Amino acid sequence: MAAKAKGEVIETPLKGGASFALRLSAYGERPYVTLGFDHEGWTPEAAEEKLKDVLAEVRLGMWVPPKKKRRRQAEVDAPGGPDEFPYFGPFAIDLIEAREGQVSENTTAHEKWSLSHLLPFFGDWPLPDIDAEAIDDYRAFKVKESAARARAIERGQPQRNEHNQVLKPLSARSINKTIDALQFILAVALERKRVTGVTENAAVGKKRRLKPPPKRPVHLDSAGQIEALLEAAAEMDRDPRWRGTQRQAVLATLIFAGPRAHELCNLLWRDVDLASSIIFVGRSKTQAGLREIRMLPILRDILAAHKAATYQGNPDDHVFLNIAGGVLNKDTLRTGILESAFEQGDELLRSRGQVPLPVGLTAHKLRHTFASVLVAIGEDPVSVMRQLGHKDAAFTLEVYTHLMNRNPEERNRLKALVRGERVAAQLAPMPAQLDSTDYELPILRALVNNGGGGSAREIIAAVGRRMAPLHTARDTEALPSGAPRWEARTRKARARLVERGWVKSKSPRGQWEVTKIGRAKLRRDDQKENRGRRLRPITSAANAEPEMAVAA
């Protein structure tokens, strides 16, 4: 008769918390199972419940012991054995807690985030056991974990943490950041090798990292787009239905001075010398970030108007506040100011028949715009690098090369914009006919309204009825096949939707069917449209004379 399964909870007090593990008898062995730390939600009660579950699985013969890393034989044979070496979990936690107050709050937050991923895997490992093979196993584990999270989200049943927050998949770059943190911890352990037993830093090198996909370039260096974005922000500042009156000043500062998000949020009026047209940046992450930025004429005029209108203009007051009047941070900057301004800027550009703002625009991407502006007005790469607060010239030269490939007329328009001149006084005419992309959402809407699918004939007919008020004589013109031009564009739009996975590719012949992804896309666009209905449209030249929002 097999021995009765037994076990116990092991609670280890640590500096600033505790860790929890299980020691049990199972299958003739006494395995040690790491659970986690109290900051991850583990409590003595939760650990006891987990022990009961494990013992029940052991009695049924269903429990699979966690895979343990085989120690190097040299360490097993060493005097005193491997138990003398400190474990990764307590060592890493003590190290990060000891650094608090010595590094920035952002650095501490990032290190704690990295530990939340590293500790469940390496928490009970002796430090010398963490070699290249172990790190490769960790990397593969995080890739599989992220894929499982993505599948759960796609099924509509996302995984959640103890705070009921959705667990999102990690990108290759995020996984690499956790390995960077591991490299730092092992570097400190290597410095203390007489105590830790660490003889190498196995996390060093590209071989331990994932190769991230190339980033899609985002360039906002069109004078017309910049001007439209500033006009949209100014209109929102004047509209009482939008809280806050500083959107134009915030965007102008990001575009024409290029501060990092945290530098913008920490900017005080004593740092803004309107008389000398200089901004002093003193709260940055690098020594190169301590710098002076020369204010361009358009930015000086906008900031002067902003200071005249603000009720908090003393030297130690913040230049920019959140919509509630408190200190701005990178999150309220994004959600309270930038996202809505980008949406309104897109609306204005579309009303003019112009190209919308690039996808993926952020506060950091507007630093790239500042670099483009400096290059356009004739600044040399060294001056651009200095005003951006960079030590490495690689990024500056990349922006320089990109802008020099633009036509001279566009560079001249940027120069005119910097001087405060309008560059979009002559609006582009509306297109004489609809494009195939204009039919994509109507196709999705017709499919959903028809129960998710239908014959090509009835879906095309539904799209035609919906788009009829927008059709011009060019759209209704018959092609040599006898079908109207708009119908051919509808079929082309459906082919594009199939490529994107929004419409099924293997439907019965003559049938069109929407996918789950297509339904989700339509819901998102409908929500954005409903949100926009409460907004008053921004005046365009089609019905009124536009204002010079970029002037003082």
Side-chain angles (χ1 to χ4, degrees):
M1 180 176 177
K4 183 179 179 180
K6 299 179 181 179
E8 62 176 331
V9 173
I10 298 176
E11 181 178 353
T12 305
L14 301 172
K15 184 178 179 180
S19 67
F20 295 89
L22 305 179
R23 174 72 76 183
L24 59 144
S25 300
Y27 313 141
E29 298 181 354
R30 282 182 53 79
Y32 180 90
V33 181
T34 300
L35 297 180
F37 299 85
D38 55 354
H39 67 265
E40 298 172 335
W42 283 103
T43 63
E45 294 77 15
E48 290 289 350
E49 286 296 322
K50 181 64 176 178
L51 176 62
K52 291 179 183 178
D53 293 341
V54 171
L55 292 178
E57 292 180 2
V58 170
R59 286 191 289 270
L60 294 172
M62 299 172 56
W63 185 68
V64 179
K67 183 180 178 182
K68 296 295 289 183
K69 181 79 168 58
R70 182 171 57 85
R71 295 187 175 113
R72 291 186 287 274
Q73 190 62 40
E75 292 172 358
V76 174
D77 296 338
D83 290 336
E84 290 185 354
F85 297 134
Y87 289 89
F88 176 84
F91 180 86
I93 291 174
D94 288 346
L95 173 62
I96 300 309
E97 288 184 349
R99 283 164 54 82
E100 286 194 56
Q102 302 180 51
V103 296
S104 70
E105 292 180 1
N106 287 342
T107 299
T108 298
H110 172 71
E111 290 175 345
K112 289 184 176 180
W113 169 84
S114 298
L115 281 186
S116 71
H117 292 279
L118 294 169
L119 290 176
F121 193 91
F122 289 117
D124 63 339
W125 285 50
L127 282 166
D129 283 2
I130 302 178
D131 57 11
E133 181 185 352
I135 297 171
D136 289 346
D137 288 344
Y138 166 77
R139 186 183 64 234
F141 169 76
K142 297 306 288 186
V143 170
K144 292 178 181 178
E145 178 187 67
S146 296
R149 290 180 178 183
R151 288 194 297 270
I153 292 174
E154 188 174 336
R155 291 195 303 268
Q157 299 174 332
Q159 300 175 14
R160 297 180 181 273
N161 61 14
E162 64 275 11
H163 303 297
N164 203 35
Q165 297 170 325
V166 173
L167 293 174
K168 297 180 180 179
L170 266 64
S171 67
R173 290 184 175 85
S174 295
I175 294 174
N176 287 345
K177 286 181 179 179
T178 68
I179 300 175
D180 291 341
L182 176 62
Q183 178 180 328
F184 165 73
I185 295 168
L186 292 180
V188 176
L190 183 59
E191 292 174 350
R192 307 173 187 177
K193 58 185 175 183
R194 295 183 63 179
V195 176
T196 63
V198 174
T199 58
E200 64 172 344
N201 189 340
V204 173
K206 293 182 178 179
K207 290 183 179 180
R208 304 285 79 80
R209 270 72 171 173
L210 293 167
K211 184 177 181 180
K215 287 185 177 181
R216 180 182 180 275
V218 178
H219 295 290
L220 177 65
D221 51 18
S222 160
Q225 289 179 324
I226 295 172
E227 184 181 53
L229 182 57
L230 292 174
E231 285 187 22
E235 179 66 21
M236 294 170 73
D237 289 343
R238 288 190 292 267
D239 192 332
R241 287 171 290 185
W242 287 99
R243 296 180 64 186
T245 58
Q246 59 178 7
R247 290 177 179 81
Q248 187 192 37
V250 167
L251 285 165
T253 304
L254 289 170
I255 292 170
F256 297 115
R260 298 175 176 89
H262 73 277
E263 292 172 343
L264 178 96
C265 297
N266 290 322
L267 194 65
L268 305 178
W269 278 116
R270 67 168 63 253
D271 301 325
V272 180
D273 188 345
L274 293 171
S276 302
S277 295
I278 294 176
I279 294 177
F280 299 93
V281 178
R283 297 175 175 83
S284 191
K285 61 181 181 180
T286 64
Q287 188 63 32
L290 305 175
R291 62 197 188 278
E292 297 179 4
I293 302 173
R294 293 191 298 274
M295 271 189 274
L296 300 172
I298 183 174
L299 177 59
R300 185 196 174 282
D301 291 344
I302 291 176
L303 285 181
H306 173 57
K307 185 172 186 179
T310 187
Y311 65 94
Q312 292 183 334
N314 294 322
D316 290 323
D317 289 334
H318 284 82
V319 177
F320 304 112
L321 305 172
N322 61 32
I323 56 177
V327 177
L328 196 65
N329 60 49
K330 63 180 182 180
D331 294 321
T332 52
L333 170 66
R334 183 187 73 254
T335 58
I337 296 177
L338 298 184
E339 290 180 351
S340 55
F342 293 157
E343 289 182 8
Q344 292 295 97
D346 267 342
E347 278 193 31
L348 181 56
L349 286 165
R350 288 193 178 97
S351 72
R352 293 174 171 175
Q354 297 174 334
V355 177
L357 298 173
V359 176
L361 202 57
T362 63
H364 187 72
K365 296 302 180 184
L366 295 182
R367 277 172 56 76
H368 299 192
T369 300
F370 175 55
S372 298
V373 169
L374 292 180
V375 172
I377 63 176
E379 295 279 354
D380 61 87
V382 174
S383 174
V384 175
M385 183 178 69
R386 185 171 61 250
Q387 294 199 63
L388 284 171
H390 283 174
K391 289 183 177 179
D392 187 0
F395 166 75
T396 304
L397 293 175
E398 178 186 341
V399 173
Y400 189 87
T401 301
H402 168 76
L403 195 69
M404 287 301 101
N405 289 332
R406 301 293 299 270
N407 60 64
E409 291 78 10
E410 184 58 42
R411 296 201 296 272
N412 289 334
R413 283 157 62 87
L414 276 174
K415 290 181 183 179
L417 182 62
V418 167
R419 294 192 297 267
E421 301 175 11
R422 286 192 63 87
V423 298
Q426 185 65 39
L427 302 182
M430 290 297 289
Q433 60 186 26
L434 295 177
D435 187 76
S436 59
T437 57
D438 297 318
Y439 293 89
E440 292 178 358
L441 286 180
I443 291 174
L444 293 177
R445 186 165 283 109
L447 288 170
V448 171
N449 291 343
N450 204 47
S455 68
R457 185 184 299 277
E458 61 182 334
I459 298 302
I460 290 174
V463 171
R465 290 190 296 271
R466 184 176 186 87
M467 300 296 287
L470 303 177
H471 284 158
T472 64
R474 178 73 170 166
D475 295 310
T476 56
E477 180 183 10
L479 297 173
S481 64
R485 191 179 297 276
W486 68 265
E487 184 175 320
R489 291 203 182 89
T490 302
R491 293 183 181 276
K492 183 177 179 180
R494 185 257 179 183
R496 187 180 291 108
L497 294 176
V498 170
E499 292 175 0
R500 294 176 180 172
W502 296 349
V503 170
K504 293 183 180 179
S505 59
K506 296 183 179 180
S507 299
R509 185 177 179 83
Q511 294 290 309
W512 291 5
E513 296 176 293
V514 69
T515 64
K516 290 183 179 179
I517 301 175
R519 288 179 182 272
K521 163 67 178 172
L522 183 62
R523 282 197 301 270
R524 288 195 302 271
D525 280 69
D526 283 345
Q527 289 170 359
K528 184 181 294 185
E529 182 179 342
N530 291 336
R531 210 164 49 236
R533 284 173 181 165
R534 68 180 178 85
L535 310 178
R536 177 164 58 84
I538 296 176
T539 304
S540 71
N543 49 33
E545 182 67 18
E547 295 185 36
M548 286 189 61
V550 296

